[in-house]
Amino acid sequence: AQSVSQHNHHVILSEAASLELGCNYSYGGTVNLFWYVQYPGQHLQLLLKYFSGDPLVKGIKGFEAEFIKSKFSFNLRKPSVQWSDTAEYFCAVSSFSGGYNKLIFGAGTRLAVHP
Amino acid sequence: DTGVSQDPRHKITKRGQNVTFRCDPISEHNRLYWYRQTLGQGPEFLTYFQNEAQLEKSRLLSDRFSAERPKGSFSTLEIQRTEQGDSAMYLCASSFGKRREVNTEAFFGQGTRLTVV
């Protein structure tokens, strides 16, 4: 069965610090990969996605992620975080079986950025 | 707001009561998903509709749960004889995809938070 593992449950950073959130998945076939963000009191929003092509994916708000197939990883990065990045971040994977996007989510990483 | 809307936003019910949630997807989205999220966890897949057809149900969806999507537009999720373990955030998402197209993006609603007391 597919699964997604996020290494850090809670991360605390100061503004301007660099961010890297780990995500590993288990699935042997072709996958689509996603990072979603949930700001306090808001709905899940897509940060970025990887379907194919360049493994370095750029998303909104200065976020990027790198797909490393050999490591089954899709880590999220941002060079300099802002207080407004305080949110919960979810990595998700979907597979091609079934012909639609059934998302399997990790447990999430709660990020707190202090001014 | 033309996003996915869910109603109600919050529901408190007594154990044993039935509850029904509604989801209105983005207009013209033919795919609709229900997920459940409990504290400290990511969303877990419950069920999927392609238009009005329910094509997959998770084993998480016991026989007390039923979902419908009449006419392929809005969807309802009903929980019968609620239990305290049903307390969670119920999320709806929608997307548009052609037959067997998988490179699509799902848009989520704000969810319905259910508390069973």
Side-chain angles (χ1 to χ4, degrees):
Chain A
Q2 291 174 286
S3 67
V4 177
S5 174
Q6 293 186 238
H7 310 306
N8 311 97
H9 292 295
H10 291 94
V11 173
I12 301 172
L13 294 173
S14 298
E15 274 193 317
S18 64
L19 170 72
E20 181 160 4
L21 301 183
C23 173
N24 286 90
Y25 65 94
S26 66
Y27 183 69
T30 305
V31 293
N32 292 339
L33 296 158
F34 305 83
W35 275 96
Y36 280 85
V37 61
Q38 189 167 29
Y39 298 103
Q42 296 190 26
H43 59 282
L44 279 167
Q45 301 173 44
L46 184 68
L47 261 184
L48 46 78
K49 59 184 181 280
Y50 173 80
F51 291 156
S52 63
D54 187 344
L56 185 61
V57 179
K58 295 194 183 298
I60 61 172
K61 304 187 180 185
F63 286 90
E64 65 178 30
E66 184 175 13
F67 170 50
I68 303 179
K69 189 175 181 180
S70 61
K71 295 185 177 179
F72 297 90
S73 71
F74 190 55
N75 292 354
L76 181 71
R77 300 194 292 250
K78 186 171 183 178
S80 175
V81 295
Q82 300 173 313
W83 176 79
S84 58
D85 293 324
T86 295
E88 192 158 17
Y89 293 81
F90 294 93
C91 181
V93 61
S94 69
S95 69
F96 289 142
S97 66
Y100 61 91
N101 272 356
K102 179 173 71 177
L103 294 169
I104 307 298
F105 285 86
T109 297
R110 196 174 293 272
L111 171 66
V113 179
H114 294 302
Chain B
D1 188 344
T2 57
V4 178
S5 63
Q6 293 187 244
D7 183 69
R9 294 286 308 279
H10 303 274
K11 178 70 177 179
I12 300 174
T13 190
K14 291 183 178 179
R15 189 173 49 187
Q17 298 293 306
N18 299 345
V19 293
T20 300
F21 310 140
R22 178 181 171 118
C23 170
D24 286 273
I26 292 172
S27 179
E28 297 177 357
H29 276 192
N30 56 348
R31 298 178 175 180
L32 188 145
Y33 314 78
W34 285 98
Y35 290 82
R36 181 172 67 187
Q37 185 176 16
T38 53
L39 203 61
Q41 299 297 318
E44 297 173 292
F45 172 81
L46 292 179
T47 190
Y48 162 68
F49 288 86
Q50 175 93 17
N51 299 309
E52 67 276 7
Q54 187 175 22
L55 297 188
E56 185 173 348
K57 291 171 62 174
S58 162
R59 281 172 287 182
L60 292 174
L61 219 61
S62 75
D63 55 6
R64 296 184 298 104
F65 288 71
S66 63
E68 294 183 340
R69 192 184 182 196
K71 303 179 182 179
S73 56
F74 71 92
S75 175
T76 57
L77 178 68
E78 180 183 16
I79 310 174
Q80 295 182 327
R81 306 180 304 281
T82 52
E83 301 173 356
Q84 286 189 319
D86 297 331
S87 295
M89 178 75 86
Y90 290 84
L91 299 170
C92 178
S94 70
S95 67
F96 177 79
K98 299 175 184 176
R99 182 175 169 78
R100 300 196 68 77
E101 180 182 7
V102 293
N103 291 354
T104 62
E105 174 185 341
F107 294 82
F108 283 81
Q110 291 192 288
T112 294
R113 183 172 297 281
L114 172 67
T115 302
V116 181
V117 298

